Amino acid sequence: MTITAATPQERMRSARTASRSLGLLTDAAKADLLRGIADAIDANVTVIVAANTEDVARGRADGLTPGLVDRLTLDEARVRSLAAAVRDVAELPDPVGRVLDDRVLDNGLHLQKVSVPFGVIGSIYEARPNVTVDIAALALRSGNAVVLRGGSAAQSSNAALISVMRGALADAGVDPEAIQTVDDFGRDGARALMRARGLVDVLVPRGSAQLIETVVTESSVPVIETGAGVVHIVLDASAPLEWATDIVVNAKVQRPSVCNAVETLLVHRDAAARLVPPVVAALQAQGVTVHGDATTAALASGVVAATAEDWATEHMSLDISVRIVDGLDDALAHIREYSTQHTESIITADDAVAERFLAEVDAAVVMVNASTRFTDGGEFGFGAEVGISTQKLHARGPMGLPELTTTKWLARGAGQIRA
Amino acid sequence: MTITAATPQERMRSARTASRSLGLLTDAAKADLLRGIADAIDANVTVIVAANTEDVARGRADGLTPGLVDRLTLDEARVRSLAAAVRDVAELPDPVGRVLDDRVLDNGLHLQKVSVPFGVIGSIYEARPNVTVDIAALALRSGNAVVLRGGSAAQSSNAALISVMRGALADAGVDPEAIQTVDDFGRDGARALMRARGLVDVLVPRGSAQLIETVVTESSVPVIETGAGVVHIVLDASAPLEWATDIVVNAKVQRPSVCNAVETLLVHRDAAARLVPPVVAALQAQGVTVHGDATTAALASGVVAATAEDWATEHMSLDISVRIVDGLDDALAHIREYSTQHTESIITADDAVAERFLAEVDAAVVMVNASTRFTDGGEFGFGAEVGISTQKLHARGPMGLPELTTTKWLARGAGQIRA
C-alpha cells in the first residue's frame, strides 16, 4: 500500500494520528497484526526479491564493497527468514500495560504507574533491508507507529517491504499510516526526522559509529544511542589459562563483525609470560591478526606492532589489539580512556579483583569470567533485541520490547484536593 | 573552597574524575556528607546572605521584577531552610545498588541489573540560589558529581553556596571537585555544558519553557526535560458539582505559579448550564480572572473573552481559560492540541468515561476526580523531587532520587563462552 503524503512532516503527522489507535490495541490484536505481516511478506517474496535485485544492481554499479552488497541482498530464503522473525516477535509478551508501581495515598488517591507505548518511534539506519522489517515489527508489537529512514542504497527494497507491511495493516483493519518511510526525501528526510520534536517521540539510530554520532549531534528528538563497541578483556595475574584462551578466542572469533566482539586484550604484567604465548597462538590458529605492544611482540611470534590508533579502533574483523598493563589500576585507566561503555570483561580467579572490576568499570555490561559475546538480547532471554544501548538514559545494554515503552501515571480519586 | 580550573572543560573533567570515587561511597558516607553540607551552610549564613545582598542590589539596579527579586533573595531564615532541606535528603534511602533484575542463564552465567549513579549531572537553571543547593544535594545523595550553571543574576550567591559546599566535601574527605560551576563563563559556560558529550552524562534544565526549549534544541548531551504545564481539567456531563468546584478551585488557587496548577477548564456542553455559573463564581470569589469562550461568557458574569493564545498559555497566575466542548472526543482533541503532557484530569461520575480518559490521554499523569496539584514528588511519596519530567525518555512525571541513577548489568561467570 503506497504512501501518498507529500512531505516528511505530513507523513510523521499521519504516523502520530495512527499511533493513537495502535496504542489501544489488545495484546491479541497486535500479535495477529504481526502474523498478518509475516504472511504478507511470505506471499510477496517475488516482488520483494525483484525490488531488491534493482538495489543490488545499482549498488554493484556504484561500487559497493562485497560486504555491503551481501548485507543489502535479499534472496527468497532471507525474505522467508524475515517473515519467520516477525512471527517470533508476535509470540513475545505484550510490553504494554504492565503495572510498574501501585500506591494508595493516605487521602485514598490510587496511583498506578503503567507501561504505555512511546507513540511514534523513528529509526535511521544503513542499507540493510532486514532492519526495515525488524524495527517495524518491534515497534508495532509494542503499540508504536514507526517512521523509517534506511540507507538510500536499499530504497527499492525498503519501499517494497513497507508497501507489503502497510497492506497487511490495512487488511487487519489497522491504520496503514502507522508505518512510514522518509527514504525518498534523501538527506532532507533524515534531517526532518531528527528535528521532529512533538511528532516523533524517540529516535533509534542503528549503524556505524559515524551515523550514530551524526544523529546524536543533530537531533532535537530524544535519541537512544546503540552500538559502538570497543570491548576489552582483561587477563588478571590470576587468570586461569583455559578460561583465558577459550573466552578470548570465543569473544574474538565467533562473530568478529558485531559490536560485542572483543577488540582489545589487556594482560597483567605478572601473567604475561604465562598467558601471552598460548593465547596469541590460539588466536593466530583461528586466523586472527594480533596487534601487540612491544612486550607482547617479544613474548609471541607473528605479532604486528600496535599503533596508537589501534586502542581506539573497533576492528569488526579478525584483528585484536594486545597490551601489557601494570595491574588492575592500569587496566581500569586504559578502559576509561578507550571504552565505548558497551561490554568489559575480566578473567580472574581472585574474587576481590573481580568485585573491584564489577564496581569500578563504567559500562552497560561488566563481566567476570565470561565471553563478551553474551551481551545480546537473545542471550539475556529478552526474546527480541531492539539494539544495545551504550548510553545511560532510559535504557542501558541489550534492549528488549519493554524498552520501546514509556510510562504514564494513572490517578483515580474521589474528589481529593491538596491541603 | 574556591575553584581554580580555568576552563569549563577542565572543570567538567575534574567533576568526572571526582564522580568515580563518589559512585563508590556507601549509603552512610553519602548521608554524612549531606549532613556536613547542611552544617556548613548553617555555619556560613552570614557569608551567604552577604553574597546574596550583592546579587539583590545588582538585580534591583538592573530592574528585575519584584517577583524575580523575591525568588533571588536569601535571608537567614531561607538559608536555614535550605540547610534543613539538605538534611531531609540525607535521610532518604540510597537509590544506588538496587538489584532491578536477577537471572541465571542455563549455562550458569549470573546476570544482575543494578542501579548505579549517572556519573556527572549537569543543570542549567535560572536565578534561584536555592536550586543550587537543591540539585547539588540530590546529585550527591545519588552518588553523582554535578556541574551547575545558574542564572547570572545569582552569581555571587551561587559562588558563596558552592564554595561552602565544596569546603564541606573536603572536610569529609571527599574530592571537592564533585561540585562545579560554570557560572563565571556566562553563555559560554552554558554552551560548553550543553555540548559536553562524554564529560556530562545527563543535563537537567529547570526554569521557563524558553530555557528548556533552548537546552533541548542545543544540547548534544542527553537532556531530561522538566516543567512546562498547560494543564487541563475536563468537567464531564456527569461531573458532581461539589467535586468540580472544589477540585478546580484547588487546582487553580492553591499555588497558581507552579506547573501543576490548572490553566484550562473544558466543560461538557450538556453540563455547562449546571456547572459553569457556580464554578466560575467560586473561582472569581478567590480572585481568579476567568477567560471564557462565548458560551461561558453567556452563562456567567465577569468573564473576559478568551483569545486564541489563551489555550496555549501557562498563565502561572490567578487566570484560567474556560471552553465549552461538545463531548469527550472534543475535549480529547483540545488536550492533544494544547497539552504539554504534564497532568490532565477529568471530573466524572461515569466509569466508562473515566477509563477512556485514562487510556487515551497522552500525559505524564492522567487523573480522575482529583486535583492536578497532586503531581508532585512529595505528594507521590518520593521524599524529594528532582523535577517533573514532561518527556517520555528515562523518566516521566515526578522524579525522585532513583531517576538520578542509571543501570549496569553485572555478569558473573565461570568460563562461559557462546555456542
Side-chain angles (χ1 to χ4, degrees):
Chain A
M1 187 161 176
T2 52
I3 294 177
T4 53
T7 68
Q9 285 73 20
E10 272 180 63
R11 293 187 192 173
M12 293 188 282
R13 268 193 293 273
S14 299
R16 174 147 293 285
T17 302
S19 75
R20 300 208 305 264
S21 49
L22 215 68
L24 300 173
L25 291 181
T26 62
D27 180 21
K30 285 180 283 193
D32 279 346
L33 184 60
L34 262 68
R35 285 187 281 261
I37 287 175
D39 292 346
I41 290 172
D42 271 336
N44 287 279
V45 167
T46 317
V47 176
I48 295 164
V49 170
N52 182 257
T53 305
E54 290 172 30
D55 285 333
V56 170
R58 204 175 55 243
R60 287 219 171 90
D62 292 350
L64 282 192
T65 64
L68 291 177
V69 168
D70 181 59
R71 284 164 52 167
L72 175 60
T73 303
L74 291 177
D75 55 18
E76 180 173 338
R78 285 188 179 181
V79 173
R80 293 205 184 280
S81 79
L82 274 182
V86 174
R87 281 189 194 95
D88 288 344
V89 175
E91 300 311 314
L92 292 175
D94 192 349
V96 169
R98 290 168 296 137
V99 177
L100 304 169
D101 199 344
D102 195 309
R103 46 180 82 200
V104 179
L105 305 187
D106 290 343
N107 63 17
L109 189 62
H110 182 196
L111 293 173
Q112 283 187 313
K113 185 178 175 180
V114 298
S115 64
V116 294
F118 268 110
V120 180
I121 292 176
S123 188
I124 299 183
Y125 51 99
E126 290 168 339
R128 299 178 66 172
N130 59 314
V131 176
T132 303
V133 175
D134 193 22
I135 299 259
L138 295 164
L140 294 170
R141 189 66 183 93
S142 47
N144 294 287
V146 70
V147 182
L148 301 163
R149 168 58 166 89
S152 53
Q155 196 174 322
S156 303
S157 317
N158 290 342
L161 288 165
I162 288 169
S163 176
V164 167
M165 291 192 286
R166 285 169 58 97
L169 293 188
D171 288 347
V174 173
D175 187 350
E177 305 298 331
I179 303 180
Q180 298 287 343
T181 174
V182 292
D183 275 4
D184 44 325
F185 300 103
R187 281 175 191 279
D188 287 344
R191 215 167 290 129
L193 197 45
M194 292 190 283
R195 308 305 288 185
R197 239 161 78 72
L199 291 175
V200 173
D201 294 293
V202 63
L203 195 51
V204 185
R206 278 176 58 161
S208 69
Q210 198 197 329
L211 177 142
I212 291 164
E213 178 69 24
T214 302
V215 172
V216 167
T217 311
E218 297 190 10
S219 292
S220 57
V221 169
V223 174
I224 298 179
E225 280 178 71
T226 63
V230 176
V231 165
H232 301 79
I233 294 178
V234 178
L235 302 184
D236 180 41
S238 66
L241 172 61
E242 196 186 333
W243 287 0
T245 310
D246 289 354
I247 289 172
V248 171
V249 169
N250 181 258
K252 181 73 257 178
V253 172
Q254 200 218 13
R255 204 168 162 211
S257 66
V258 292
C259 59
N260 59 20
V262 67
E263 306 298 349
T264 299
L265 191 60
L266 301 171
V267 186
H268 194 298
R269 189 169 303 281
D270 295 350
R274 177 172 66 88
L275 297 174
V276 165
V279 171
V280 166
L283 286 164
Q284 289 170 336
Q286 300 284 329
V288 176
T289 301
V290 175
H291 306 244
D293 64 1
T295 312
T296 304
L299 288 167
S301 60
V303 171
V304 176
T307 64
E309 253 174 36
D310 278 328
W311 313 117
T313 299
E314 188 174 7
H315 296 294
M316 309 204 93
S317 58
L318 285 175
D319 290 83
I320 193 167
S321 312
V322 182
R323 182 173 186 172
I324 312 303
V325 291
D326 288 333
L328 186 57
D329 284 330
D330 195 11
L332 290 171
H334 180 103
I335 289 171
R336 268 199 305 277
E337 185 162 358
Y338 295 106
S339 169
T340 53
Q341 304 192 331
H342 185 295
T343 302
E344 310 296 349
S345 185
I346 191 168
I347 318 298
T348 181
D350 183 332
D351 282 349
V353 167
E355 292 305 316
R356 230 195 109 193
F357 191 80
L358 289 168
E360 296 192 22
V361 171
D362 184 16
V365 187
V366 189
M367 296 180 169
V368 173
N369 297 328
S371 170
T372 57
R373 291 276 296 121
F374 284 111
T375 298
D376 175 276
E379 295 292 323
F380 272 44
F382 298 166
E385 184 177 280
V386 175
I388 294 172
S389 166
T390 52
Q391 60 166 32
K392 296 181 181 176
L393 215 63
H394 183 72
R396 203 173 187 205
M399 297 190 288
L401 281 180
E403 278 71 32
L404 290 185
T405 63
T406 179
T407 58
K408 166 158 104 169
W409 284 96
L410 306 178
R412 293 178 173 90
Q416 283 85 355
I417 60 172
R418 190 159 162 189
Chain B
M1 190 164 173
T2 52
I3 295 176
T4 53
T7 69
Q9 285 74 20
E10 272 181 65
R11 293 188 192 172
M12 292 188 283
R13 269 193 293 273
S14 299
R16 174 147 294 284
T17 302
S19 75
R20 300 209 305 264
S21 51
L22 214 68
L24 300 173
L25 291 182
T26 63
D27 180 19
K30 286 180 283 193
D32 279 346
L33 184 61
L34 262 67
R35 286 186 279 262
I37 287 175
D39 292 346
I41 290 172
D42 271 337
N44 287 279
V45 167
T46 317
V47 177
I48 294 164
V49 170
N52 182 257
T53 304
E54 289 172 32
D55 284 334
V56 170
R58 204 175 54 245
R60 287 220 170 92
D62 292 350
L64 283 192
T65 65
L68 291 176
V69 168
D70 180 59
R71 285 163 51 165
L72 174 59
T73 303
L74 291 177
D75 55 19
E76 180 174 337
R78 284 188 179 179
V79 173
R80 293 207 184 279
S81 79
L82 274 180
V86 173
R87 282 191 193 94
D88 288 344
V89 174
E91 299 312 313
L92 292 175
D94 192 348
V96 169
R98 290 167 297 138
V99 178
L100 303 169
D101 198 345
D102 195 308
R103 45 180 82 201
V104 179
L105 305 187
D106 290 344
N107 62 18
L109 189 62
H110 182 196
L111 294 172
Q112 283 187 313
K113 185 179 176 181
V114 298
S115 63
V116 295
F118 268 109
V120 180
I121 293 176
S123 189
I124 299 183
Y125 51 98
E126 291 169 340
R128 298 177 66 171
N130 59 312
V131 175
T132 302
V133 175
D134 192 23
I135 299 259
L138 294 165
L140 294 169
R141 188 66 184 92
S142 48
N144 294 287
V146 70
V147 182
L148 301 163
R149 168 60 165 86
S152 53
Q155 196 175 322
S156 302
S157 316
N158 290 342
L161 287 165
I162 287 169
S163 176
V164 166
M165 291 192 287
R166 285 167 58 97
L169 293 187
D171 289 346
V174 173
D175 187 349
E177 304 299 330
I179 304 180
Q180 296 286 343
T181 174
V182 291
D183 274 5
D184 44 325
F185 299 104
R187 281 175 191 278
D188 288 345
R191 214 167 288 129
L193 197 46
M194 292 190 283
R195 309 304 288 184
R197 239 161 79 73
L199 290 175
V200 173
D201 294 292
V202 63
L203 194 51
V204 184
R206 277 177 58 163
S208 69
Q210 198 198 329
L211 178 143
I212 291 165
E213 178 69 23
T214 301
V215 172
V216 168
T217 311
E218 296 190 10
S219 292
S220 57
V221 169
V223 173
I224 299 180
E225 281 178 71
T226 63
V230 176
V231 166
H232 301 79
I233 295 179
V234 178
L235 302 184
D236 180 41
S238 66
L241 172 63
E242 195 186 332
W243 287 0
T245 310
D246 289 355
I247 289 173
V248 171
V249 169
N250 182 257
K252 181 73 257 180
V253 173
Q254 201 219 12
R255 204 168 161 210
S257 66
V258 294
C259 60
N260 58 19
V262 67
E263 306 299 350
T264 299
L265 190 60
L266 301 170
V267 185
H268 194 296
R269 191 170 301 282
D270 296 350
R274 178 172 65 90
L275 297 174
V276 166
V279 170
V280 166
L283 286 163
Q284 289 170 335
Q286 300 284 331
V288 176
T289 301
V290 175
H291 306 243
D293 65 0
T295 312
T296 305
L299 288 167
S301 60
V303 171
V304 176
T307 64
E309 253 175 38
D310 278 328
W311 313 117
T313 299
E314 190 175 6
H315 297 294
M316 311 205 90
S317 58
L318 285 174
D319 291 82
I320 194 168
S321 313
V322 182
R323 183 173 185 172
I324 310 304
V325 292
D326 288 333
L328 185 57
D329 285 330
D330 194 13
L332 291 170
H334 181 102
I335 289 171
R336 270 199 304 276
E337 185 163 357
Y338 295 106
S339 169
T340 52
Q341 306 192 331
H342 184 296
T343 302
E344 309 296 349
S345 184
I346 191 168
I347 317 300
T348 182
D350 182 333
D351 282 351
V353 167
E355 291 306 316
R356 230 196 109 194
F357 191 80
L358 290 168
E360 296 193 21
V361 171
D362 185 17
V365 186
V366 189
M367 296 181 168
V368 172
N369 296 328
S371 170
T372 57
R373 291 277 296 122
F374 285 112
T375 299
D376 176 276
E379 295 292 322
F380 273 43
F382 297 167
E385 184 177 279
V386 175
I388 294 172
S389 166
T390 53
Q391 59 166 35
K392 296 181 181 176
L393 216 64
H394 184 70
R396 201 174 190 205
M399 298 191 289
L401 281 179
E403 279 70 33
L404 290 185
T405 64
T406 179
T407 58
K408 167 158 102 169
W409 283 96
L410 306 178
R412 292 177 173 90
Q416 283 86 353
I417 60 172
R418 189 160 161 186

